[in-house]
Amino acid sequence: MTVSSPAMEGHAQLTAAAPPPPSHTGRRSHDTYIVQFPKDQVYRVPPRENAVIVEKHRNPSAANKKRGSCCFCSRRLLITVALIVVAVVAIVGMTLATLYFILNPRGPTFKVSHVALKENNASTRLRYEVLLTAKNHNEWLAVDYEYGDVSLFFGGDQVATGKFPVLGQHREESSQVKVQLFGSIWAWPNHARAVDLELEMQLGLRVVAAGLETWVMRSNVECWFKISAPRNETRLLSQYCHTKFNLY
């Protein structure tokens, strides 16, 4: 039997199949219907993106949980990195402190070995060459000179300036260091056979032990020396240097 109505024209037709024979148990089975669709009718299937959007609106807590988990992972990663950095800094600091208290670093000492004055006739500048002997007295520690400002004084007035060269010394090593200073030509005292000069150096250095460098330590050096009148050749008559070593 086929059932149709004007409202269902062009749409599916509902057909009722003949009832099945009665079962041996005497119970009546459910009715079966066959639905027929016209072949020229097309049904569109919605895209999968629509299903995802629907699921997000239906269950917004899932997206929030995902974002929350990402934030939690980022915070945990940052905390882990920070703890690692703090641990490394603490280990290095404890190692350096142990080396300091056990090995007791000492600053280098200096001695003036030779002084030369060279005048440039083409200019009014005078070049000084001061040869120093630097001694590292540490038995187990090396010394690296990072920087140094050098000044030369005569009668309390600064007459020349220069830089201390970059230098590295092994333990218990002595080195010859040439420091060059430049300044204007100054008047030599009349009838003076010798003059007194003062050399000041502000040095920054690091102590090295087992490949580990300490912080920059400061060494203030003052040298007083007497040289002969530079008529023919300057001679060093006397010298004395004092070093003040500061760990900080």
Side-chain angles (χ1 to χ4, degrees):
M1 177 180 180
T2 302
V3 181
S4 62
S5 63
M8 296 180 58
E9 285 185 338
H11 297 279
Q13 295 181 355
L14 187 61
T15 304
S23 60
H24 297 285
T25 57
R27 297 180 180 178
R28 184 179 179 181
S29 61
H30 297 285
D31 294 338
T32 303
Y33 297 91
I34 299 177
V35 180
Q36 296 180 352
F37 295 92
K39 294 182 179 181
D40 56 349
Q41 189 171 359
V42 180
Y43 293 88
R44 298 180 60 186
V45 179
R48 297 182 179 179
E49 292 78 4
N50 293 0
V52 175
I53 296 174
V54 171
E55 288 295 330
K56 286 184 178 180
H57 287 286
R58 183 180 299 175
N59 190 13
S61 60
N64 296 334
K65 289 181 180 179
K66 186 176 181 180
R67 287 195 296 267
S69 62
C70 293
C71 296
F72 178 75
C73 293
S74 300
R75 292 179 181 176
R76 186 167 59 181
L77 179 61
L78 291 177
I79 293 174
T80 303
V81 173
L83 291 177
I84 293 175
V85 172
V86 171
V88 171
V89 172
I91 292 173
V92 174
M94 292 176 62
T95 303
L96 293 177
T98 302
L99 292 175
Y100 167 73
F101 287 109
I102 294 178
L103 302 178
N104 189 19
R106 293 180 293 170
T109 58
F110 296 88
K111 177 183 177 182
V112 180
S113 302
H114 182 72
V115 179
L117 284 73
K118 297 184 179 182
E119 183 178 350
N120 189 356
N121 296 327
S123 65
T124 59
R125 292 181 63 81
L126 187 65
R127 179 162 59 95
Y128 300 81
E129 290 185 356
V130 181
L131 186 63
L132 301 171
T133 301
K135 173 68 175 179
N136 177 18
H137 295 275
N138 294 288
E139 184 178 359
W140 302 102
L141 301 175
V143 175
D144 286 343
Y145 297 85
E146 298 285 335
Y147 62 87
D149 297 324
V150 186
S151 301
L152 184 65
F153 295 88
F154 171 68
D157 297 327
Q158 186 183 71
V159 295
T161 59
K163 294 292 184 180
F164 192 88
V166 178
L167 176 67
Q169 282 185 314
H170 298 291
R171 58 187 182 89
E172 297 184 325
E173 180 182 3
S174 295
S175 304
Q176 296 292 325
V177 184
K178 180 185 289 187
V179 179
Q180 293 188 356
L181 303 97
F182 298 89
S184 58
I185 298 177
W186 45 279
W188 195 271
N190 294 330
H191 308 292
R193 295 185 177 181
V195 293
D196 294 320
L197 298 175
E198 180 182 355
L199 188 72
E200 292 185 0
M201 297 186 294
Q202 310 291 329
L203 305 179
L205 51 91
R206 297 179 187 269
V207 175
V208 184
L212 297 176
E213 292 185 346
T214 62
W215 55 92
V216 176
M217 303 178 183
R218 292 173 175 79
S219 184
N220 301 328
V221 184
E222 293 180 332
C223 294
W224 299 269
F225 55 94
K226 184 187 293 290
I227 59 174
S228 62
R231 291 186 177 89
N232 296 321
E233 183 180 355
T234 303
R235 292 185 298 110
L236 181 66
L237 302 178
S238 63
Q239 70 84 34
Y240 171 75
C241 291
H242 172 72
T243 302
K244 182 178 180 181
F245 182 59
N246 299 317
L247 297 176
Y248 304 99

